[in-house]
Amino acid sequence: MSSRALLQASGHLIVRTARPARRWLRIAPPFTLPAALLAWELTVHILRVPVYLVPPPSRILAILWAERGLYLQAAMVTLGEAIAGLSLGMGIALGLAVAATFYPPLERAVMPLVLLLKAIPLVAIAPILTLWFGFGPMPKVLMTALLTFYPALVSWMIGLQAVDPAALELMRAWNASDWEILRHLRWPSAWPYTFTALKTAIPLAFIGAVVAEWTGASGGLGRAMWLAQTNLDMPRLFAAAFLLAAMSLTGYGLAAWGERRVAWWRS
Amino acid sequence: MLEIRIRHVDQAFSIPQGRWVVFEDLNLEIPPGSFTVIVGPSGCGKSTLLRIVAGLLRPTAGEVYLGSLSPEEARAARWIGWMGQGPALLPWRTVEGNIRLALEVNRRPLQPALSIGELIELVGLRGFERAYPRMLSGGMQQRVALARTLAPGPRVWLMDEPFAALDALTREQLLEEVERLWQRFHATVLWVTHDLHEAARLADEVIVLSGRPAHVRARFSIPDPRPRRDERRIGEWVQTIRQALAGGDR
């Protein structure tokens, strides 16, 4: 007999029921995006908005399909930079958060510098990075890392500290080392915060990569947007923006899915 | 079996208003293998005393020994079993995984006093090995915590109101189990509670602490045979403890 069956049989299974949402609220989410696009399409046609101001979604999607090879190539460049920058930013943030857990004064020493970095408008840094590191992927990766570092650091610092005090006391009573406490208690406790960080950092990673590409690049969606804007080619500018938004949403969705799979005990 | 000796212990905390004195020259001897229950008014330092014995808090002055070891040494030797007011189970580990955790830490794996399966059987959770904490009732979670406390075979059990949050019926069942397990493992138990009935029911010795700064107001031996089911007799002891709590030193 399975544990669940035994629990049910003994009356110990705790069933948590959610408050029933209104029917329309439950079925609405899959339709909100198509509805918004439809409203956009109709508005542009009814008000006869010129295509060089706001192109209709149908035109944007048609361009995306017709030039899919070019856009796919640009998207892959931006995706690669975003993933590399995200990994670098989150990796440094994790290292620092773990180090601050072992040695708390480090947090007080480092946070002013981190806040200073956060306070500088990173859009202003992008041209400097391009000047220093050229038109290759390096300035894009660094820009992305700078943008994603802060939310990841804050999330992990909170996550690694947000442990059940009773469990922490128990581990200390067992004479657990700091490393064992990190491995068995702090790290699993921080998993939900990791996904919170990812959900914030993934859209920022794409923004970082595109902003850096905008200031000088030989490829990527930022470069495509810059070219389109220079030529006042709104449909192509929107096409690149559409693709960027789709990648951001997919990344966010993957992080949310990962959260449900890995940090399932929170749900 | 281990004796616990608390000698000339002072404990004070610095607070904005000055010094918060919890103990001043506290002296106690807990006989080896005894079941000693500590009662006292709220905030008198019962839990603080348990933390000092566990080596989780270093006293401002004085010494504590568990047998010949200091609390820190006893902790390193895994002589101490700690159980707090909540079960403190890790929600991402199964019942079995939570119990096994007690054997995985302290830098080297321990050979359990009993197998995990035997421990689960002892606390009446057979069939729930792979269940997660959120699937269990409060009483079952405390049973898991009890099995986890016993897993490394501790020689001293330090129990801080472990069943205070449970309903009366579940608490009654668990008290019976604790008594049975204690008789089997021959550990020295230091048990903190507010529940005088629980104290009269379980204790070989009852230590009544005064308000802050706490000192031993009274100490009783309860020689009645176990298991104690005579409610009239338990009631008499409850009355005696209550009088000691309310009245002067004895």
Side-chain angles (χ1 to χ4, degrees):
Chain A
M1 200 174 186
S2 72
S3 299
R4 192 177 177 85
L6 269 165
L7 285 161
Q8 278 175 323
S10 63
H12 283 295
L13 182 68
I14 297 163
V15 181
R16 289 174 171 82
T17 50
R19 197 177 164 189
R22 288 188 179 186
R23 190 176 162 77
W24 68 271
L25 273 177
R26 273 184 285 147
I27 60 170
F31 299 107
T32 47
L33 188 62
L37 289 174
L38 186 65
W40 177 354
E41 183 83 25
L42 290 174
T43 308
V44 167
H45 285 297
I46 291 165
L47 299 178
R48 295 177 187 279
V49 181
V51 76
Y52 60 83
L53 286 182
V54 184
S58 58
R59 177 83 177 268
I60 297 164
L61 292 172
I63 287 175
L64 270 176
W65 179 249
E67 298 173 13
R68 57 188 178 277
L70 281 173
Y71 280 105
L72 194 63
Q73 199 179 17
M76 286 300 114
V77 170
T78 304
L79 182 66
E81 291 161 356
I83 289 174
L86 183 71
S87 308
L88 183 65
M90 291 194 79
I92 295 170
L94 178 61
L96 206 55
V98 169
T101 306
F102 284 127
Y103 186 63
L106 190 66
E107 183 180 342
R108 288 194 296 277
V110 168
M111 274 321 267
L113 288 173
V114 173
L115 287 170
L116 185 73
L117 197 68
K118 175 70 185 154
I120 296 171
L122 291 177
V123 177
I125 291 182
I128 301 170
L129 290 177
T130 304
L131 194 69
W132 287 349
F133 298 104
F135 292 97
M138 181 62 99
K140 289 83 181 174
V141 171
L142 288 177
M143 180 76 184
T144 305
L146 283 171
L147 263 177
T148 54
F149 167 72
Y150 182 77
L153 179 70
V154 172
S155 294
W156 268 321
M157 275 190 167
I158 295 171
L160 290 170
Q161 300 296 329
V163 294
D164 176 4
L168 189 61
E169 192 163 57
L170 183 70
M171 295 287 273
R172 296 214 186 284
W174 288 338
N175 204 42
S177 66
D178 284 346
W179 179 250
E180 285 170 327
I181 291 173
L182 177 73
R183 186 180 150 211
H184 293 294
L185 184 61
R186 291 191 191 278
W187 180 240
S189 298
W191 267 112
Y193 293 86
T194 303
F195 288 98
T196 306
L198 268 174
K199 286 194 283 188
T200 314
I202 285 172
L204 285 175
F206 287 110
I207 291 169
V210 164
V211 167
E213 283 170 357
W214 200 291
T215 62
S218 50
L221 287 174
R223 162 99 176 147
M225 290 167 93
W226 179 80
L227 278 173
Q229 191 237 7
T230 309
N231 296 318
L232 276 178
D233 187 350
M234 284 300 132
R236 283 184 175 75
L237 179 69
F238 273 79
F242 257 45
L243 205 49
L244 195 67
M247 284 160 62
S248 237
L249 274 174
T250 308
Y252 183 93
L254 281 172
W257 175 80
E259 184 176 20
R260 284 195 299 275
R261 295 279 298 178
V262 177
W264 52 267
W265 68 86
R266 291 243 305 193
S267 58
Chain B
M1 287 191 283
L2 283 180
E3 179 188 28
I4 302 172
R5 282 168 293 153
I6 297 163
R7 288 185 177 166
H8 309 295
V9 162
D10 294 351
Q11 183 66 54
F13 299 102
S14 293
I15 56 169
Q17 291 79 19
R19 262 166 67 87
W20 178 270
V21 180
V22 183
F23 301 123
E24 246 175 16
D25 196 27
L26 183 73
N27 289 283
L28 273 176
E29 302 247 332
I30 310 295
S34 70
F35 200 122
T36 302
V37 176
I38 300 175
V39 295
S42 285
C44 75
K46 302 184 291 292
S47 298
T48 304
L49 180 61
L50 228 51
R51 283 195 176 83
I52 289 172
V53 175
L56 296 171
L57 183 66
R58 197 180 285 272
T60 315
E63 290 168 334
V64 176
Y65 290 102
L66 293 91
S68 58
L69 302 187
S70 70
E72 289 76 17
E73 289 166 335
R75 227 164 19 114
R78 297 304 303 273
W79 284 3
I80 292 173
W82 174 270
M83 195 166 164
Q85 292 176 14
L89 301 178
L90 304 187
W92 52 87
R93 279 182 171 249
T94 59
V95 164
E96 200 176 330
N98 266 288
I99 297 170
R100 182 167 290 118
L101 181 66
L103 308 169
E104 289 174 357
V105 298
N106 195 21
R107 299 169 187 90
R108 60 189 164 81
L110 272 176
Q111 283 303 312
L114 294 170
S115 72
I116 304 281
E118 283 174 304
L119 282 165
I120 288 173
E121 177 99 47
L122 265 180
V123 297
L125 286 176
R126 189 171 182 166
F128 297 104
E129 292 85 348
R130 300 180 73 82
Y132 286 92
R134 69 174 184 166
M135 299 161 76
L136 306 177
S137 67
M140 293 170 91
Q141 290 186 17
Q142 284 297 62
R143 283 171 200 265
V144 179
L146 185 59
R148 184 185 56 190
T149 305
L150 304 186
R155 299 168 73 174
V156 176
W157 300 358
L158 302 175
M159 317 289 264
D160 188 6
E161 300 188 62
F163 307 138
L166 300 178
D167 63 90
L169 189 65
T170 310
R171 191 162 64 235
E172 190 63 26
Q173 287 171 347
L174 283 168
L175 290 179
E176 269 182 30
E177 286 189 22
V178 163
E179 196 172 21
R180 184 170 52 81
L181 291 167
W182 167 66
Q183 285 172 325
R184 175 168 177 165
F185 285 91
H186 308 294
T188 305
V189 179
L190 205 51
W191 182 288
V192 164
T193 186
H194 276 109
D195 185 334
L196 303 187
H197 187 272
E198 192 175 294
R201 162 88 192 273
L202 289 177
D204 289 329
E205 299 248 353
V206 178
I207 293 171
V208 181
L209 293 182
S210 67
R212 278 187 314 103
H215 62 273
V216 178
R217 175 172 278 174
R219 186 168 184 159
F220 310 97
S221 287
I222 302 184
D224 297 1
R226 296 169 188 275
R228 294 171 188 158
R229 303 212 190 280
D230 184 347
E231 284 299 325
R232 188 189 56 80
R233 185 80 182 129
I234 292 172
E236 284 172 11
W237 280 112
V238 168
Q239 199 54 34
T240 308
I241 300 166
R242 185 172 290 132
Q243 279 168 3
L245 269 169
D249 294 353
R250 175 175 153 170

